[in-house]
Structures are given as structure tokens and as C-alpha cells.
Amino acid sequence: MIPIRLFIWGLWSSTDSQDENPALLSCMRTQCEVMKTIIFHEHTTSFSPSNRYVSLFLKTFIDKIERTRDYNLDDELVEFYVGLAASTNTSGPAHGMCFKTYALDEEQYTRVVLREEQAMISQGTTGLVTWEAGLRLADFFAEHPDIIRGKRVLELGAGCGLAGFVCATMGATSVVSTDYSDAVLKLLESNRQTSKHTFCCILLSRLKHVLIVNISMLDPEISGKVQIAKLDWDDLAECRTLSKPIDVIIGADITYDPTIVPVLVAAIKEMVVSSQQVVYITATIRNIETFDLFLQLVDETGVLGRSVMDLTQTMMTALCHPNPSADMRL
């Protein structure tokens, strides 16, 4: 879900700039279309974002309408918002499961839908939510699908599985998404089942009005490409077994803990058995010493080569998600 404060309201613009069109935002037809094609659409009701998100979305929408001259509010919009706001806490920390829809292109023809936890830590793990590094890794493959098209992919510390599902969607032959936490593995399997449903969206612009027409279809092939497996990085024999048929190994935000970095590097060394294999890991730099330790241990293996790309200022152009400030490396 795009943070409300960063939602691109300028999509309702009738000009080439991203300036909002107040008249279009406030017209009754737009309000009705927002309710019909977003709030009450089959996709939203089947894979609903959190009540907190919907409430904040509608609050911002209504606030913008009320800043226009001689505005009128749609009765259905007001009634739905008032009822939702009365039962939703939007001030405290968010928690609980909800669905998040990730669009891989601006037209939203290609989507990945995942069930995630809103809290950063839940059930004793951080793996039930997609972190910034996971977004960047997924965006990287969506922008460069040739890297994984026709390849066999192994995902380490998959969490909710965004990067792996994006690889499957963009043409990977197979994806093995691994994690160690039982809670995470259960969520991964749930998301694998959810991925059977892909939704296409056609955006039609007519004069100054925006109509959104969504068409849903069943696509069992994506879920068929993805396997879920438990992997303990300490189990080098299992690491070797899983990696034998693998072309590309990926991981996001798995280098943050200095106590597990040596174990991770040892596992990767065991997995990379051919010069044709490639490993892609994204990391948010929270502690530069920990990241430097990771690079040092990679160098000390004597067999793993590496290069580092700074993604801090890179705008994510594939995933429809703003680019927050974060010190990011690939």
C-alpha cells in the first residue's frame, strides 16, 4: 500500500503536470467512480487493504474535496467513511493482517497480491511484513526481467515473498522461496495460494474524467512456479541440495544481524557451485559496520566475487510505490 501522505493525487490531473485538478476531484461523478471502482470493487473486497488505510484514504479524499469551492459530497461516500472511521483506530500503531497489492507497471496490468502483517514485529519475527529492501529487489527484477526470465530462482529469507513472486510473474521458470520461521512459511503458502488470482486493470481517460475498469482472471501458472521450503542456513548439506538446480539466488534485508552474517555467507558459499550462478542481495544500511562485515566475509571466501550498487537515490519505476529515503545497496 502506498502511504497516504505520498499518494499521487495528481493522477486525476487534466494537464501534463502533476498538479491536482480540484474540479475533477470534487465532481460527483468522480466521487461515485471512486466508490464503485476502488472501494467497492471486487479486488478491494476480496483482497482488502486494512480498514486503517481505507479510512485514511477516504479522509484525505474528502479533505481535498472540502477545500474546493461550492463542493458537494456524495451521500454514499460520507456514510461509508463515517461508519468506517468510527470503528477504526488511525492514531495508534497499526497491527493485524491485511492484503497489499503491488502494481508492477503504471497501467497496473500486472499485480502481485500478498497478505501481510501491519506491525513490524509479530509472532516473534520481522518476516511477516515487506521491508524497503524487498521492495527495491522486486522492483529491480521488474525493471530488468531478462535477468530472471527462464531462470530457476532460490529466495533466501523470503518473508512475505514479494521478490520471489515478482520473479515468477516476470518469467522465471521456477522459484523456491525459503525461510526458517514456521509463521513465515505458513504465510508464504497462503500467499502462494493467493497468487493464483491475478488482476488486470485498464485505465481509460476520457476528456476530464477518469474511468477505471478492472478485469479479473484466474492464473494458476504463477502459484505453480513457486515452491515453499524451510531452510536452516546452518544446514550446509540442505543448502547444497537446494541450490544444485538453481541459476539465481536472491535475498532482501538478510544482512542486518552481525551474528547471522557469517552463517549466511557460509551458506551462500555452499550454494554457489558454478560460475554461471548469480546472487542478488539488497540491504538497507542500518549499521555500516554490519554491512562491511558481510562484504569482508564474502571477500574472505576466496571464491565469491562481488560488486555493490548504491540504490539510495534510485527511483522505483516499476513498482507503483514512492521512493522513500533509505540508504540502500544491491
Side-chain angles (χ1 to χ4, degrees):
M1 293 180 293
I2 298 174
I4 293 294
R5 68 184 184 281
L6 297 176
F7 190 88
I8 307 174
W9 294 97
L11 289 175
W12 280 281
S13 172
S14 62
T15 66
D16 292 333
S17 70
Q18 287 299 305
D19 294 334
E20 295 167 12
N21 184 337
L24 176 58
L25 275 173
S26 61
C27 80
M28 296 298 287
R29 182 179 178 184
T30 299
Q31 295 179 48
C32 290
E33 288 297 326
V34 166
M35 296 303 293
K36 176 182 177 181
T37 64
I38 297 179
I39 303 301
F40 294 141
H41 185 264
E42 177 188 2
H43 178 85
T44 309
T45 56
S46 298
F47 304 106
S48 57
S50 67
N51 287 344
R52 177 192 181 102
Y53 180 82
V54 176
S55 179
L56 289 172
F57 174 88
L58 290 177
K59 180 180 186 301
T60 305
F61 185 38
I62 292 172
D63 286 346
K64 290 180 178 293
I65 294 173
E66 291 178 337
R67 288 200 293 267
T68 64
R69 180 185 298 179
D70 300 326
Y71 69 87
N72 287 300
L73 285 170
D74 177 70
D75 290 340
E76 184 180 40
L77 168 61
V78 174
E79 182 180 356
F80 182 83
Y81 169 68
V82 170
L84 184 63
S87 60
T88 303
N89 179 9
T90 59
S91 58
H95 61 86
M97 287 286 182
C98 68
F99 285 100
K100 294 186 180 182
T101 299
Y102 297 91
L104 304 186
D105 53 15
E106 291 185 0
E107 294 78 15
Q108 299 189 43
Y109 284 110
T110 309
R111 303 179 183 185
V112 171
V113 182
L114 301 178
R115 188 166 174 262
E116 301 186 18
E117 172 61 54
Q118 297 177 76
M120 290 186 291
I121 301 177
S122 178
Q123 300 183 49
T125 178
T126 58
L128 302 180
V129 62
T130 297
W131 294 81
E132 177 68 16
L135 288 169
R136 299 300 183 91
L137 187 61
D139 183 77
F140 180 77
F141 292 129
E143 278 289 291
H144 307 283
D146 289 345
I147 292 176
I148 44 86
R149 185 176 293 123
K151 304 294 185 180
R152 297 160 297 183
V153 178
L154 174 65
E155 183 177 19
L156 304 177
C160 299
L162 176 61
F165 287 115
V166 168
C167 287
T169 303
M170 303 307 294
T173 301
S174 64
V175 176
V176 181
S177 295
T178 68
D179 211 288
Y180 184 71
S181 164
D182 289 336
V184 172
L185 291 168
K186 182 178 179 180
L187 181 61
L188 273 170
E189 179 56 33
S190 172
N191 284 334
R192 191 181 76 85
Q193 296 299 322
T194 300
S195 69
K196 290 180 179 180
H197 301 269
T198 60
F199 289 79
C200 299
C201 173
I202 303 173
L203 181 64
L204 304 175
S205 179
R206 295 178 179 175
L207 299 178
K208 294 184 178 180
H209 298 285
V210 177
L211 301 177
I212 302 176
V213 181
N214 290 278
I215 304 170
S216 64
M217 62 176 62
L218 188 64
D219 183 6
E221 293 185 3
I222 300 301
S223 64
K225 290 182 179 181
V226 179
Q227 299 178 46
I228 311 301
K230 186 168 186 173
L231 179 62
D232 182 349
W233 296 342
D234 275 317
D235 190 343
L236 297 182
E238 181 62 18
C239 291
R240 191 182 312 114
T241 300
L242 274 178
S243 67
K244 281 183 179 178
I246 295 301
D247 304 303
V248 179
I249 300 171
I250 67 174
D253 233 339
I254 56 177
T255 62
Y256 63 90
D257 185 347
T259 64
I260 64 171
V261 165
V263 179
L264 170 62
V265 173
I268 293 174
K269 180 182 177 182
E270 198 68 29
M271 294 175 184
V272 178
V273 296
S274 166
S275 60
Q276 302 302 311
Q277 291 175 298
V278 184
V279 182
Y280 295 94
I281 293 177
T282 50
T284 301
I285 308 302
R286 301 177 180 86
N287 185 315
I288 189 62
E289 287 79 12
T290 301
F291 185 69
D292 287 342
L293 172 64
F294 172 68
L295 297 181
Q296 174 190 335
L297 293 177
V298 167
D299 291 338
E300 289 177 358
T301 63
V303 295
L304 297 176
R306 52 93 172 177
S307 62
V308 179
M309 181 187 302
D310 190 339
L311 300 179
T312 304
Q313 300 300 323
T314 302
M315 180 66 72
M316 292 190 294
T317 55
L319 280 174
C320 294
H321 188 286
N323 182 47
S325 58
D327 192 1
M328 193 70 52
R329 302 290 189 274
L330 171 66

